[in-house]
C-alpha cells in the first residue's frame, strides 16, 4: 500500500526540483544538439575533402590534356606542311592552358632553327642534345613525352626545375633520318600551386612527377594550424597519369573551412540555453519566496493544530476521568439488588456513558487525522478470524433488535494479508454499527470478497461491504454523507443520535490505507457501504477437497441459504436447502429416497429456539431420518434448549467455521463408533506417512525437538541436522523421502544447502525428493526466494499441524499409493539396503504420537455450556504493550502453549532446551553489541523468534522479531535502540520462564485432580 504522506512528500519534492530539472534538460538538449551538429559537420567536411581530392586529379588531367592536344595539333599541321595554320588554330582553340609558356618545333636536319608559336623560343638548338632527344622520342614515335629540363640543361638553359617539357617526335619522310620535334614548356609548379590555392578543405603539401629519365618532386607549405586541425588531420594521396610515360603523385592534407556556420550554430544554442536557464532561475527564486511564505503559514497552522490537539487530548483526559468513575459506579450499582426502575436507570447511565465515550474516541481520531498522527501499521493478519470476531461483537445488538446479522466470506479470499487489523476492524465496526442503528427489521449482511484473484498473486484487491435493509438515504443527501458532523437528515440525527463523525473517519482511514469507500442507497430499501483495499497477499486461498458429506440446510432466510450453500460447497460439503414448513420431514425424506442420503441436518433457529426444536421433531418423525445428526444455528451464546441438538453453532457464522463444526460432529461420532467396534482387536491403523523417512535441518534445539515430534506423529522416521552442510552430508549418505530445511542456519544456510542438493539430484548422486522450507520469515517475498532457491514448498513457523499435513499430501512421492508400495517393501529389499550401507526404511513407534486435534471453536459445540473461566478477568494473559496504538501481545499464548504440549511427548525436554538455548542466544547478542558487531546479532534474534513461537511465547517472539528487523537495518543510529531492546528482551525472557513454570504447575495440578 502507498503511504499518502510519503506520496505527498515525493510530490512536493518533485515540484521544488522541477526548475532544476528543466535547466538540466535544457543543458542536456543543447549539448545533444551541439554534438549532433558537430558530428554532422565532421562528416560533411570529410565528404567535401574527398570531393576536392577527386577534383585535383581531374583539374590536372584536364590541363595536361589541353597541352598534349596543342602539341599533337602542331605536330599534325607541321607533318602536313601546313605550319601556317598552327597560329590560327591556337587562336581559335577552345582548350588552352595558361601554364604553357612555349610551344615550338625544330627539325633534326637544322637543329639551330627553332621556331616558337608563342614568342621567343625557350629551346636552344644544340646538335648533340637534339640528336639525343630525338633518339629518345622516336623510340615511341607519335607519343607525347614529359621531359624534365634538368635532364637536358643545354636545351633549356632558362628553365628550372619548376617547368616540365611535353615533346613529340615525327619522322619527316618515311625511311629518312630527318625528324621533327614538337615541344611545349609548362610551368607545372605554378599549376600545382594554383590548384592547391583553389582548394577550400585541404592543401597540396607534396607533388612528385615520374618522367622519362627520372623524377621531379615539389614540396609546398602545409596549411595553417587551427583549433579544428586536431580533429581534421587526414591526408589523401592521388596518382594522375599525365602521359603514357609520366605520372603525377600528390599528397593533400585536410584543412577545415567554413567555421562560421558551426560558430553561429553553437553560439545560437548557447544563447537559447542561457535565456532558458535565466528564466528558470527567476522562477526558482520566485518559487522559493512563495515556499518560504507557505512554510511560515504551514508552521502557524501546525502550531494551531497542535494547540487544538493538545486541548482535545487534555479535555479527553479530563472528561474520561470522571466518566470512568460514572461508568464504574453504574456497573457496580447494576450488580446490586435493584428494583426494575432502578436497574433501568442504571442501564441508561451505562448506555449514555458509552455513547459519550464513543464520541470522545471519534473526536480524538479526527484530531489525529488532521495532525497526521494517525499511523497505519500493516502486519501479517488472518482475515477470516478478524472478520468473524468483528461481526460476532455485534451479535447481541442484532439479536436485541431482532435483525438477522449474516457473514458472507468469499471462498477465494486470501488466508493472510498485510493490513492494519485495528483500522480494518474500526472501519467495519463503524459500518456495522450504523447498519444496525438504522435497520429495524430485516437483515444486515457483512461480506468480503477478492476481486480478480486466482489464489496465487502477490497483490489482491479486497472488497468489503455492509448491506442493510434499513431506512435508506435519499439521492440528494449522498454528497454530504462522508462529511464531518453531518448525517443524511437532520431528523435522523435527532431520532437516532450520533455525531456524524463515523463515516468521515472511515473515509479518512480508508484513504490512508490506499483504498476508497462508496455508498449506494434507496430510501425505504436499505443501503450498501463498500470499501476496497489493495493488499499484499502473504498466503493465498485454498479450496478444500470433496469431503463426501451431504447436509440438509433448513432456513427461512434466502440470504442465509445462499451464503451457507455456496460456502459449504466450497468447503467440500454438498448442501441442499429447504424452507421451514409442516411438511419439512416429508421433503427431506423424499430427497433421501431419491438418492440423497444426508449426513447432517442444519436448522436455522429463526426467531425462537422452539421453532427449531419443532422442525427437528418433525424431521425425526421420519423413520429414515431418526438417526440423522442435527446441528442448530443459534442466535444466543448459551441456551439450555441447545442440548436438544447434537451441536450448536452460534450466528453470525461463516461457512468455513460451520464446515469445521460439521466435520467435527461427524468425526467425533465416527471415532466413537470405531472405538466401540475395535475394542480389544489390537489392529490400529498405521499413521498416514508410516514408512517414510524425513530429514529435518534446523540449528535450534527447540525447533528440532518440536519438528521431530510432529513428523513422528505423522509416521515419519526422522533424522536431524543442525546446519546446511550436515544436511547435505546426511542426504548424500542416506536415503530420505522429504527434507525440511530451515532457511537461516550457521556454517551453511538453507538456501545454499538446497542449491547443492538440487545440483546433486541433477547429477544423479541422490534421487530427486521434495525440499520444504521451514522458516520464521513469512513475509511477502520470502516464499518467492525459497522457490527460486529450488525448494518445493514453504511452511512458516510456528508450524500448524493441519496445514503441514495438507501440504505433505500435495508433495510428489508422498501419495497414498506410493506409501502403500513403500510399506509393503519386502524384507529382502531392506536387507539389501542395509548391506549397501543405508538404513532400512523402518518406523520406530517409541516417539510416535498422533497429531494434536484442532482447537475447538469458541462458537461451536460447547457454546451451550458456559466456560468456568468466562467471568474471570484475564489477569493471566500478561501482556506487552507496544508503541502507539498497536494491539497488546500476550506474554504466553496459552492456547498455543497447550496445543504444543499436547502434541509433544517430550515437552519438558523441549522447555529445558528452550530455556538453556535462549539464555545462550541472549548472551551472544549482549557480547556482539558490546563489541559493536550488530550483524552478529541477527541470527540469534531470528532463532529466539522462531523457538519462542513454537511454545507460544509471543511476547518474547515479538520483541525478537523487532530486534531482528532493526539489526538487519544496521547503522550506528540503531545501536542505542538495540541495546535498550536487548535489556527488555532479557527481562521478558525471565518473566516468560516464570510464567511457563506456573502454567506447568497448574496443568499438573489439574491433571492430578
Amino acid at each position: 500500500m502507498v503511504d499518502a504522506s510519503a506520496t505527498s512528500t515525493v510530490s512536493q519534492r518533485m515540484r521544488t526540483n522541477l526548475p532544476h530539472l528543466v535547466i538540466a534538460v535544457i543543458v542536456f538538449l543543447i549539448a545533444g544538439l551541439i554534438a549532433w551538429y558537430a558530428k554532422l559537420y565532421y562528416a560533411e567536411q570529410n565528404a567535401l575533402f574527398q570531393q576536392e581530392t577527386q577534383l585535383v586529379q581531374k583539374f590536372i588531367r584536364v590541363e595536361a590534356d589541353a597541352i598534349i592536344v596543342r602539341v599533337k595539333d602542331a605536330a599534325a599541321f607541321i607533318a602536313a606542311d601546313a605550319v601556317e595554320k598552327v597560329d590560327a588554330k591556337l587562336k581559335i582553340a577552345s582548350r588552352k592552358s595558361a601554364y604553357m609558356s612555349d610551344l615550338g618545333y625544330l627539325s633534326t636536319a637544322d637543329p639551330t632553327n627553332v621556331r616558337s608559336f608563342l614568342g621567343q623560343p625557350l629551346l636552344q638548338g644544340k646538335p648533340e642534345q637534339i640528336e639525343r632527344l630525338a633518339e629518345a622520342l622516336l623510340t615511341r614515335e607519335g607519343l607525347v613525352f614529359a621531359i624534365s629540363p634538368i635532364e637536358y640543361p643545354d636545351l633549356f638553359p632558362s628553365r628550372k626545375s619548376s617547368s616540365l617539357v611535353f615533346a613529340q617526335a615525327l619522322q619527316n619522310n618515311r625511311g629518312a633520318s630527318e625528324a621533327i620535334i614538337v615541344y611545349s614548356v609548362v610551368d607545372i609548379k605554378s599549376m600545382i600551386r594554383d590548384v592547391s590555392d583553389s582548394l577550400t578543405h585541404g592543401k597540396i603539401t607534396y607533388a612528385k612527377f615520374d618522367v622519362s629519365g627520372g623524377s621531379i618532386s615539389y614540396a609546398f607549405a602545409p596549411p595553417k594550424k587551427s583549433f579544428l586541425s586536431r580533429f581534421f588531420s587526414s591526408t589523401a594521396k592521388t596518382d594522375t597519369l599525365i602521359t603514357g610515360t609520366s605520372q603525377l603523385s600528390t599528397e593533400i592534407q585536410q584543412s577545415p573551412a567554413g567555421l562560421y556556420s558551426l560558430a553561429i550554430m553553437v553560439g545560437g544554442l548557447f544563447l537559447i540555453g542561457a535565456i532558458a536557464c535565466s528564466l528558470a532561475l527567476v522562477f526558482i527564486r520566485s518559487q522559493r519566496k512563495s515556499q518560504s511564505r507557505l512554510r511560515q503559514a504551514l508552521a502557524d497552522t501546525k502550531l494551531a493544530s497542535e494547540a487544538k490537539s493538545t486541548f482535545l487530548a487534555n479535555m479527553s483526559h479530563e472528561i474520561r476521568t470522571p466518566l470512568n468513575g460514572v461508568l464504574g459506579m453504574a456497573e457496580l450499582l447494576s450488580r446490586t439488588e435493584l428494583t426494575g426502575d432502578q436497574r433501568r436507570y442504571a442501564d441508561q447511565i451505562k448506555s449514555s456513558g458509552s455513547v459519550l465515550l464513543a464520541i470522545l474516541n471519534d473526536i480524538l481520531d479526527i484530531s489525529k487525522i488532521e495532525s497526521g498522527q494517525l499511523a497505519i501499521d500493516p502486519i501479517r493478519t488472518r482475515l477470516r478470524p478478524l472478520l468473524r470476531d468483528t461481526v460476532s461483537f455485534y451479535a447481541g445488538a442484532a439479536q436485541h433488535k431482532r435483525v438477522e446479522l449474516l457473514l458472507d466470506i468469499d471462498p477465494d479470499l486470501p488466508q493472510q494479508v498485510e493490513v492494519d487489523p485495528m483500522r480494518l476492524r474500526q472501519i467495519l465496526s463503524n459500518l456495522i454499527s450504523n447498519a444496525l442503528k438504522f435497520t429495524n427489521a430485516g437483515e444486515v449482511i457483512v461480506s468480503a470478497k477478492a476481486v480478480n484473484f486466482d489464489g496465487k498473486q502477490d497483490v489482491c484487491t479486497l472488497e468489503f461491504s455492509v448491506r442493510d435493509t434499513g431506512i435508506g438515504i435519499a439521492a440528494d443527501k449522498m454528497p454530504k454523507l462522508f462529511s464531518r458532523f453531518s448525517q443524511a437528515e437532520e431528523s435522523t440525527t435527532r431520532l437516532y443520535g450520533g455525531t456524524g463523525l463515523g463515516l468521515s473517519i472511515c473515509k479518512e482511514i480508508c484513504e490512508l490505507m490506499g483504498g476508497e469507500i462508496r455508498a449506494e442507497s434507496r430510501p425505504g430499501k436499505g443501503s450498501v457501504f463498500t470499501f476496497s483495499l489493495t493488499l499484499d497477499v502473504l498466503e493465498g486461498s485454498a479450496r478444500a477437497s470433496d469431503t463426501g458429506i451431504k447436509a440438509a440446510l433448513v432456513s427461512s432466510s434466502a440470504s442465509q441459504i445462499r451464503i451457507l450453500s455456496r460456502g459449504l460447497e466450497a468447503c467440500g460439503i454438498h448442501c441442499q436447502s429447504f424452507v421451514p414448513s409442516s411438511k419439512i420431514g416429508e421433503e427431506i425424506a423424499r430427497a433421501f429416497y431419491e438418492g440423497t442420503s444426508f449426513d447432517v441436518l442444519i436448522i436455522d433457529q429463526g426467531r425462537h429456539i422452539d421453532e427449531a426444536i419443532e422442525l427437528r421433531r418433525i424431521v425425526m418423525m421420519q423413520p429414515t431420518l431418526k438417526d440423522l445428526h442435527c446441528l442448530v444455528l443459534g442466535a444466543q451464546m448459551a441456551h439450555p434448549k441447545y442440548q436438544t441438538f447434537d451441536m450448536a453453532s452460534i450466528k453470525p457464522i461463516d461457512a468455513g467455521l460451520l464446515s469445521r463444526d460439521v466435520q467435527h460432529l461427524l468425526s467425533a461420532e465416527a471415532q466413537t463408533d470405531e472405538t466401540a467396534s475395535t475394542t480389544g482387536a489390537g489392529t490400529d491403523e498405521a499413521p498416514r506417512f508410516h514408512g517414510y523417512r524425513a530429514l529435518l535441518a534446523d540449528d535450534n534445539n527447540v525447533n528440532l525437538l518440536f519438528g521431530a515430534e510432529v513428523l513422528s506423529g505423522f509416521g515419519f522416521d526422522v533424522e536431524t541436522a543442525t546446519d546446511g552442510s550436515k544436511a547435505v552430508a546426511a542426504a548424500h549418505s542416506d536415503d530420505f523421502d522429504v527434507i525440511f530445511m530451515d532457511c537461516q542456519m550457521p556454517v551453511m544456510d538453507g538456501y545454499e544447502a538446497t542449491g547443492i542438493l538440487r545440483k546433486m539430484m541433477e547429477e544423479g548422486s541422490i534421487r530427486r525428493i521434495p525440499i520444504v522450507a521451514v522458516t520464521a520469515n513469512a513475509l511477502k517475498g520470502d516464499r518467492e526466494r525459497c522457490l527460486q532457491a529450488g525448494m518445493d514448498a514453504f511452511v512458516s513457523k510456528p508450524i500448524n499441524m493441519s496445514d503441514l499435513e495438507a501440504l505433505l499430501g500435495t508433495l510428489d512421492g508422498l501419495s497414498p499409493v506410493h506409501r502403500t508400495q513403500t510399506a509393503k517393501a519386502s524384507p529382502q529389499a531392506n536387507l539389501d539396503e542395509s548391506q549397501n550401507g543405508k538404513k532400512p526404511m523402518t518406523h520406530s513407534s517409541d516417539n510416535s504420537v498422533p497429531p494434536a486435534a484442532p482447537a475447538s471453536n469458541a462458537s461451536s459445540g460447547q457454546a451451550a455450556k458456559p466456560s468456568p473461566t468466562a467471568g474471570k478477568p484475564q489477569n493471566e494473559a500478561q501482556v506487552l504493550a507496544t508503541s502507539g496504538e498497536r494491539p497488546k501481545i500476550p506474554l504466553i499464548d496459552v492456547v498455543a502453549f497447550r496445543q504444543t504440549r499436547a502434541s509433544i511427548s517430550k515437552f519438558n525436554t523441549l522447555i529445558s532446551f528452550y530455556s538453556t538455548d535462549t539464555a545462550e542466544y541472549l548472551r551472544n547478542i549482549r557480547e556482539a553489541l558490546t563489541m559493536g558487531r550488530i550483524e552478529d546479532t541477527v541470527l540469534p534474534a531470528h532463532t529466539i523468534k522462531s523457538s519462542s513461537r513454537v511454545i507460544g511465547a509471543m511476547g518474547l517472539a515479538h520483541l525478537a522479531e523487532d530486534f531482528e528487523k532493526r539489526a538487519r537495518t544496521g547503522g550506528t543510529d540503531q545501536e542505542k535502540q538495540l541495546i535498550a531492546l536487548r535489556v527488555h528482551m532479557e527481562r521478558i525472557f525471565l518473566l516468560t520462564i516464570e510464567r511457563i513454570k506456573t502454567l506447568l504447575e497448574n496443568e499438573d495440578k489439574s491433571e492430578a485432580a
Side-chain angles (χ1 to χ4, degrees):
M1 290 180 296
V2 180
D3 191 347
S5 60
T7 304
S8 177
T9 303
V10 171
S11 177
Q12 184 177 0
R13 288 179 179 177
M14 288 183 64
R15 289 195 300 269
T16 303
N17 296 326
L18 183 60
H20 300 86
L21 181 62
V22 170
I23 292 176
V25 170
I26 292 174
V27 172
F28 177 78
L29 290 176
I30 290 176
L33 288 173
I34 292 175
W36 170 78
Y37 188 77
K39 180 180 179 182
L40 197 66
Y41 176 80
Y42 181 80
E44 182 183 7
Q45 291 293 316
N46 284 335
L48 292 174
F49 175 66
Q50 295 298 328
Q51 292 177 5
E52 286 191 345
T53 301
Q54 297 174 3
L55 290 175
V56 167
Q57 293 178 299
K58 292 180 180 180
F59 182 83
I60 293 175
R61 183 63 191 172
V62 167
E63 290 292 332
D65 288 347
I67 296 170
I68 292 171
V69 168
R70 298 284 77 78
V71 172
K72 284 184 174 290
D73 287 347
F77 283 119
I78 293 171
D81 294 329
V83 177
E84 66 280 359
K85 294 183 179 181
V86 175
D87 291 332
K89 181 64 177 178
L90 288 176
K91 293 178 181 179
I92 64 173
S94 60
R95 298 176 62 186
K96 299 179 181 180
S97 175
Y99 304 100
M100 189 171 62
S101 56
D102 187 15
L103 175 64
Y105 74 96
L106 59 85
S107 174
T108 56
D110 188 8
T112 59
N113 185 19
V114 181
R115 182 178 176 182
S116 175
F117 299 105
L118 296 179
Q120 292 297 323
L122 298 178
L123 187 148
Q124 297 180 4
K126 300 290 183 179
E128 297 81 4
Q129 294 287 342
I130 294 296
E131 288 294 334
R132 188 163 64 91
L133 176 62
E135 184 179 354
L137 295 177
L138 288 174
T139 57
R140 298 179 68 179
E141 185 181 359
L143 182 66
V144 177
F145 283 77
I147 303 170
S148 172
I150 299 176
E151 187 179 355
Y152 299 94
D154 295 335
L155 296 180
F156 302 97
S158 63
R159 295 291 93 185
K160 298 181 181 180
S161 59
S162 61
S163 298
L164 194 65
V165 177
F166 287 66
Q168 179 184 7
L170 297 173
Q171 290 285 349
N172 192 12
N173 292 310
R174 296 295 178 183
S177 58
E178 182 183 355
I180 298 173
I181 299 175
V182 181
Y183 70 93
S184 175
V185 180
V186 181
D187 190 356
I188 195 70
K189 188 173 183 179
S190 297
M191 181 175 64
I192 296 174
R193 183 182 295 109
D194 292 343
V195 171
S196 178
D197 292 341
S198 65
L199 300 180
T200 57
H201 298 87
K203 296 294 180 182
I204 297 176
T205 58
Y206 179 78
K208 177 183 177 184
F209 281 94
D210 292 324
V211 297
S212 177
S215 62
I216 306 173
S217 60
Y218 304 105
F220 300 92
K224 295 181 180 180
K225 295 289 184 179
S226 65
F227 171 75
L228 295 178
S229 298
R230 67 186 65 183
F231 303 105
F232 302 95
S233 59
S234 61
T235 301
K237 295 182 179 181
T238 63
D239 295 321
T240 307
L241 187 64
I242 302 299
T243 67
T245 61
S246 63
Q247 177 176 288
L248 173 64
S249 300
T250 60
E251 291 184 3
I252 306 173
Q253 183 174 341
Q254 185 180 10
S255 62
L259 297 180
Y260 294 106
S261 60
L262 180 62
I264 292 173
M265 180 67 180
V266 173
L269 289 175
F270 272 115
L271 180 61
I272 294 173
I275 294 174
C277 292
S278 300
L279 293 175
L281 290 174
V282 170
F283 175 77
I284 291 174
R285 184 176 181 182
S286 174
Q287 188 184 45
R288 286 180 177 175
K289 290 182 179 180
S290 301
Q291 288 179 348
S292 177
R293 290 193 296 267
L294 183 61
R295 281 195 294 268
Q296 183 62 40
L298 185 61
D300 296 341
T301 305
K302 187 176 181 181
L303 288 175
S305 179
E306 289 177 353
K308 182 186 68 174
S309 299
T310 303
F311 171 75
L312 289 174
N314 292 335
M315 288 301 299
S316 172
H317 175 74
E318 296 299 328
I319 295 175
R320 283 173 186 269
T321 302
L323 183 59
N324 183 55
V326 172
L327 292 176
M329 292 300 104
E331 178 65 28
L332 294 176
L333 179 62
S334 63
R335 297 182 183 181
T336 62
E337 295 183 3
L338 301 175
T339 64
D341 290 341
Q342 290 172 336
R343 185 167 300 280
R344 187 169 65 254
Y345 298 153
D347 291 342
Q348 187 60 44
I349 292 173
K350 290 193 294 181
S351 176
S352 300
S354 298
V355 171
L356 181 57
L357 189 61
I359 294 174
L360 283 174
N361 291 334
D362 287 346
I363 293 176
L364 283 178
D365 280 343
I366 286 293
S367 177
K368 289 179 181 179
I369 291 172
E370 288 181 344
S371 60
Q373 296 178 357
L374 188 68
I376 302 299
D377 185 19
I379 61 174
R380 187 184 187 95
T381 304
R382 288 189 174 273
L383 280 177
R384 284 174 172 80
L386 174 65
L387 293 170
R388 284 196 293 264
D389 294 344
T390 303
V391 177
S392 297
F393 180 80
Y394 293 93
Q399 182 187 358
H400 178 72
K401 296 191 69 173
R402 295 187 177 275
V403 174
E404 192 79 13
L405 181 58
L406 305 177
L407 177 59
D408 182 11
I409 298 180
D410 184 4
D412 293 329
L413 197 71
Q415 298 291 327
Q416 297 188 63
V417 297
E418 197 171 69
V419 70
D420 188 332
M422 185 177 69
R423 297 304 173 188
L424 177 58
R425 185 192 297 268
Q426 184 176 359
I427 298 174
L428 287 171
S429 298
N430 212 318
L431 297 179
I432 296 172
S433 176
N434 281 349
L436 291 174
K437 181 193 298 185
F438 296 106
T439 303
N440 296 319
E443 61 190 17
V444 174
I445 303 175
V446 181
S447 62
K449 66 177 182 179
V451 181
N452 297 328
F453 181 63
D454 61 5
K456 300 179 181 179
Q457 300 170 5
D458 295 333
V459 179
C460 176
T461 299
L462 303 183
E463 191 173 272
F464 304 88
S465 65
V466 178
R467 181 186 301 271
D468 63 65
T469 57
I471 61 175
I473 306 170
D476 59 336
K477 305 298 181 183
M478 295 291 289
K480 68 175 185 178
L481 191 60
F482 294 99
S483 301
R484 297 176 184 175
F485 304 104
S486 67
Q487 289 186 334
E489 295 281 357
E490 294 299 329
S491 58
T492 60
T493 306
R494 292 192 296 270
L495 180 61
Y496 293 95
T499 60
L501 287 175
L503 291 179
S504 174
I505 294 174
C506 289
K507 181 176 181 296
E508 298 281 357
I509 294 176
C510 190
E511 291 177 352
L512 284 176
M513 297 173 72
E516 60 178 2
I517 188 170
R518 60 187 182 276
E520 299 175 6
S521 183
R522 292 175 59 190
K525 300 294 183 181
S527 305
V528 181
F529 285 84
T530 305
F531 67 96
S532 57
L533 300 174
T534 300
L535 306 175
D536 292 335
V537 177
L538 303 181
E539 181 180 348
S541 59
R543 285 183 175 260
S545 57
D546 190 0
T547 62
I549 299 174
K550 297 178 181 179
L553 175 62
V554 181
S555 177
S556 58
S557 171
S559 299
Q560 182 80 281
I561 290 175
R562 174 181 58 80
I563 293 171
L564 293 182
S565 296
R566 185 188 64 168
L568 289 175
E569 291 288 345
C571 294
I573 297 179
H574 301 284
C575 183
Q576 185 171 343
S577 59
F578 300 90
V579 178
S581 67
S582 59
K583 297 182 179 181
I584 184 66
E586 298 175 4
E587 294 178 5
I588 298 177
R590 185 181 306 111
F592 183 86
Y593 287 126
E594 292 175 354
T596 305
S597 57
F598 296 107
D599 300 294
V600 64
L601 173 66
I602 304 173
I603 301 178
D604 187 2
Q605 173 181 326
R607 293 184 175 275
H608 199 275
I609 187 62
D610 291 336
E611 298 178 3
I613 294 175
E614 178 62 19
L615 289 173
R616 178 186 180 278
R617 186 190 65 81
I618 296 173
V619 173
M620 295 304 169
M621 288 176 61
Q622 298 294 324
T624 57
L625 305 177
K626 63 180 181 179
D627 295 328
L628 192 61
H629 296 288
C630 188
L631 182 147
V632 66
L633 300 178
Q636 297 172 272
M637 288 302 297
H639 198 289
K641 293 185 179 182
Y642 285 166
Q643 297 179 2
T644 307
F645 303 89
D646 297 311
M647 179 178 282
S649 296
I650 309 305
K651 299 185 296 183
I653 187 171
D654 70 294
L657 197 57
L658 180 59
S659 169
R660 290 206 294 268
D661 289 348
V662 169
Q663 295 183 60
H664 181 70
L665 172 63
L666 297 180
S667 62
E669 183 66 23
Q671 184 177 2
T672 302
D673 295 342
E674 182 180 356
T675 304
S677 61
T678 60
T679 302
T683 58
D684 294 335
E685 182 183 357
R688 178 180 178 185
F689 298 101
H690 176 70
Y692 283 113
R693 304 195 67 230
L695 174 62
L696 175 61
D698 200 305
D699 62 311
N700 184 271
N701 290 327
V702 175
N703 293 336
L704 284 176
L705 181 59
F706 176 73
E709 287 283 343
V710 171
L711 294 174
S712 296
F714 288 141
F716 285 100
D717 182 14
V718 183
E719 294 289 336
T720 60
T722 55
D723 59 59
S725 61
K726 293 180 180 179
V728 172
H732 184 263
S733 62
D734 212 337
D735 187 32
F736 296 97
D737 299 289
V738 63
I739 298 176
F740 294 89
M741 185 76 69
D742 184 28
C743 293
Q744 293 191 0
M745 294 182 290
V747 183
M748 181 186 293
D749 61 26
Y751 302 112
E752 183 180 355
T754 300
I756 296 175
L757 289 173
R758 287 303 182 204
K759 185 176 181 180
M760 294 169 63
M761 294 176 189
E762 293 174 358
E763 294 173 350
S765 302
I766 59 176
R767 67 184 179 93
R768 182 170 181 83
I769 58 175
I771 301 177
V772 180
V774 184
T775 179
N777 290 336
L779 295 177
K780 180 180 181 291
D782 296 319
R783 183 188 303 272
E784 290 74 10
R785 184 181 179 188
C786 292
L787 296 178
Q788 290 175 358
M791 301 177 185
D792 298 279
F794 179 94
V795 175
S796 61
K797 301 175 185 176
I799 298 175
N800 182 287
M801 286 177 288
S802 59
D803 293 343
L804 177 59
E805 185 175 14
L807 172 66
L808 290 172
T810 64
L811 297 178
D812 294 336
L814 298 182
S815 62
V817 175
H818 186 271
R819 179 178 66 86
T820 303
Q821 295 173 350
T822 306
K824 292 181 179 181
S826 64
Q828 182 63 35
N830 289 337
L831 178 61
D832 296 340
E833 199 171 281
S834 178
Q835 291 174 350
N836 290 332
K838 295 184 178 181
K839 298 179 181 179
M841 296 179 64
T842 59
H843 173 68
S844 174
S845 60
D846 294 341
N847 297 329
S848 298
V849 293
S856 58
N857 179 15
S859 65
S860 63
Q862 289 76 11
K865 300 176 182 180
S867 172
T869 61
K872 286 185 180 181
Q874 293 187 356
N875 53 0
E876 70 173 10
Q878 303 173 30
V879 296
L880 300 170
T882 58
S883 62
E885 299 288 338
R886 298 191 179 195
K888 295 182 177 180
I889 307 298
L891 185 65
I892 295 291
D893 186 339
V894 180
V895 175
F897 179 84
R898 289 173 178 169
Q899 287 179 348
T900 304
R901 189 185 184 198
S903 61
I904 299 295
S905 60
K906 300 178 181 179
F907 186 72
N908 290 336
T909 305
L910 178 72
I911 295 300
S912 177
F913 279 154
Y914 173 75
S915 178
T916 304
D917 292 350
T918 304
E920 179 67 18
Y921 291 136
L922 288 172
R923 185 181 65 80
N924 293 339
I925 291 175
R926 183 168 61 253
E927 292 178 354
L929 289 177
T930 303
M931 300 295 293
R933 298 195 302 267
I934 296 178
E935 64 277 4
D936 292 344
T937 65
V938 175
L939 188 58
H942 175 83
T943 308
I944 293 174
K945 174 184 68 174
S946 61
S947 59
S948 298
R949 286 177 175 172
V950 168
I951 65 170
M954 305 310 295
L956 186 56
H958 177 77
L959 291 175
E961 182 178 10
D962 190 15
F963 188 98
E964 181 187 2
K965 291 180 180 178
R966 295 177 183 272
R968 289 185 187 278
T969 304
T972 55
D973 56 333
Q974 293 280 4
E975 189 170 353
K976 293 183 179 179
Q977 299 180 13
L978 290 174
I979 293 174
L981 196 55
R982 189 266 305 166
V983 174
H984 195 33
M985 288 171 61
E986 292 180 348
R987 182 175 65 84
I988 295 304
F989 170 64
L990 296 177
L991 294 176
T992 300
I993 297 301
E994 291 297 325
R995 180 63 182 144
I996 290 175
K997 292 179 180 178
T998 303
L999 285 174
L1000 289 175
E1001 292 174 358
N1002 293 339
E1003 295 285 342
D1004 292 340
K1005 291 179 182 179
S1006 300
E1007 292 175 359

